[in-house]
Amino acid sequence: MARRPSSAFPVLAPLAKFAVTSTIVAAAIYAARARRRMDFNGKTVLISGASRGLGLELARAFAEEGADLVLLARDEAKLACVAAELQRHGTNVSTFVCDISKQDQVHEVIPKIVGKMQVDVLINNAGMIQVGPLDNMALSDYENAMGVHFWGPLYLMEEIIPHMKALGQGRIVNIASIGGKVAVPHLLPYAASKFALVGLSEGMRAELIKDGIYVTTVCPGLMRTGSHLQALFKGQQKKEYALFALANASPLLSTAAARAAREIVEACRYGKAQIVITPQARLLRFANSLFPTLVAETFGLVNRLLPRPCEDTRNHLKKGWESGSALAPSLLTRSADRAAERNNELSTSRTPANL
């Protein structure tokens, strides 16, 4: 009886099938990516919290892409300063004074905008940072954080989404934080509100893809935006501020705001679901997903090393520029202080001495 010839390479057939399948999947992913790609030239991008910090860097980045900009913020003077800078480079800029945590203001402003122009991209960037121990935080601190980080983005999306649905397309980018993935001690109002924003943003994406609207959740780690000067501190304010400013300035812990802005623009361009900015933030998210108890216990130990609560029940929030010490501002915080100058974060009342 004749024997059937056996293959000399029995593993080649499955490997070939795997290679073909992988190629097909890769081609499909590439095609979907190319189809979703948005050219921002001539598109209108609306940015909240655009008068300073990351919002200003995002405005610059989108301006370089040729986008027309609509900028929202509470400070009319700083908005005018930003508009003048961008207009010098030929960018079309419209500005509107709006506190996004106030629904009536959002409801009044957005119809004025969409009545005149097509909004292609919404960037929910407005934010605030309150730093201090749990014992010195009040319910109002949580309410204020939720107003800016959760309700404000929701108010804007509620107004903009019907407009984008009518267009059959759109991009929404919600600037959350790694603090919305992993809770860090002495940032409870901030972390709680950013967790809420992450949930809202991820849920919105699932609901809106069918309408051609892609929602991107951005979770940055520390960025050198200069926001340490405008952050709010409770407890032992000088110590809290010094630690925050030093971490914010360290190249080992933070990234340049302009670099973060470019990453966000690229994520928006391709409608990515989520990006986490900085290797440190990605490592923390990864560690927390695998070893949540270990991370929680570690943060418990870290909390023991942080400044103790202030016993003064009249302890109020102070801005960073009001909480200086020998450590901050200093040469150690120089990179963050220079970022504050670049990004419109300086207070008109006080300027760091080391700029």
Side-chain angles (χ1 to χ4, degrees):
M1 183 175 179
R3 296 178 60 187
R4 295 178 62 186
S6 60
S7 173
F9 305 100
V11 297
L12 287 184
L15 284 177
K17 290 180 180 179
F18 176 77
V20 171
T21 303
S22 298
T23 301
I24 293 172
V25 171
I29 292 173
Y30 180 81
R33 176 180 167 87
R35 187 172 63 253
R36 291 182 181 182
R37 187 184 188 280
M38 176 177 279
D39 182 354
F40 297 117
N41 186 41
K43 296 293 193 296
T44 299
V45 180
L46 190 158
I47 307 173
S48 68
S51 63
R52 55 187 176 87
L54 180 61
L56 174 51
E57 288 287 16
L58 285 167
R60 290 171 177 147
F62 278 108
E64 289 178 1
E65 295 282 333
D68 299 328
L69 301 177
V70 179
L71 308 180
L72 305 183
R74 294 177 299 176
D75 191 319
E76 186 173 10
K78 286 191 174 183
L79 271 176
C81 179
V82 171
E85 174 195 329
L86 296 169
Q87 287 166 346
R88 282 196 296 270
H89 295 88
T91 304
N92 293 322
V93 183
S94 302
T95 63
F96 294 86
V97 176
C98 180
D99 181 347
I100 65 159
S101 68
K102 310 295 184 185
Q103 186 178 13
D104 58 338
Q105 292 189 29
V106 174
H107 186 66
E108 180 181 353
V109 164
I110 298 303
K112 293 179 181 177
I113 296 170
V114 298
K116 296 179 180 178
M117 62 192 80
Q118 171 180 310
V119 176
D120 302 286
V121 180
L122 167 64
I123 311 289
N124 280 310
N125 167 77
M128 65 186 302
I129 304 174
Q130 305 130 305
V131 184
L134 167 64
D135 291 349
N136 287 130
M137 292 296 172
L139 285 178
S140 58
D141 296 317
Y142 297 90
E143 291 168 351
N144 291 335
M146 286 292 291
V148 174
H149 298 150
F150 177 81
W151 290 110
L154 180 56
Y155 296 151
L156 284 169
M157 286 189 283
E158 285 285 306
E159 295 285 343
I160 292 291
I161 285 170
H163 172 74
M164 289 183 171
K165 284 185 175 181
L167 297 174
Q169 64 175 356
R171 294 283 194 276
I172 298 173
V173 178
N174 293 314
I175 309 297
S177 169
I178 189 59
K181 293 287 189 179
V182 185
V184 178
H186 284 220
L187 285 167
L188 266 181
Y190 179 83
S193 57
K194 290 293 189 178
F195 263 82
L197 178 58
V198 167
L200 176 67
S201 186
E202 292 179 355
M204 283 284 190
R205 181 180 179 87
E207 296 271 358
L208 294 173
I209 284 180
K210 69 182 189 316
D211 300 300
I213 301 169
Y214 296 96
V215 181
T216 299
T217 306
V218 179
C219 294
L222 286 172
M223 296 176 289
R224 294 188 294 278
T225 63
S227 63
H228 63 294
L229 291 175
Q230 300 297 331
L232 301 164
F233 297 87
K234 272 190 170 182
Q236 299 186 53
Q237 285 135 334
K238 290 187 177 182
K239 291 182 179 180
E240 296 282 359
Y241 172 63
L243 289 171
F244 187 83
L246 289 169
N248 208 252
S250 170
L252 297 176
L253 298 175
S254 63
T255 189
R259 179 177 178 178
R262 288 192 296 271
E263 289 188 44
I264 293 167
V265 169
E266 287 305 303
C268 179
R269 187 191 310 281
Y270 292 102
K272 288 186 176 181
Q274 184 179 111
I275 60 167
V276 177
I277 299 175
T278 78
Q280 301 89 338
R282 289 192 286 271
L283 179 60
L284 179 57
R285 181 187 64 166
F286 180 72
N288 191 62
S289 65
L290 292 181
F291 312 108
T293 301
L294 176 61
V295 171
E297 296 292 339
T298 301
F299 277 136
L301 293 175
V302 169
N303 186 59
R304 291 175 180 270
L305 302 175
L306 294 175
R308 307 306 300 164
C310 176
E311 295 182 1
D312 186 355
T313 56
R314 297 169 298 175
N315 185 260
H316 298 299
L317 289 165
K318 282 187 178 181
K319 289 192 174 183
W321 61 264
E322 299 175 295
S323 309
S325 65
L327 286 175
S330 70
L331 288 176
L332 296 174
T333 64
R334 190 170 186 176
S335 61
D337 294 334
R338 284 182 170 175
E341 183 180 31
R342 168 180 165 80
N343 293 322
N344 221 12
E345 295 277 11
L346 295 179
S347 168
T348 54
S349 303
R350 182 175 171 183
T351 302
N354 63 330
L355 285 175

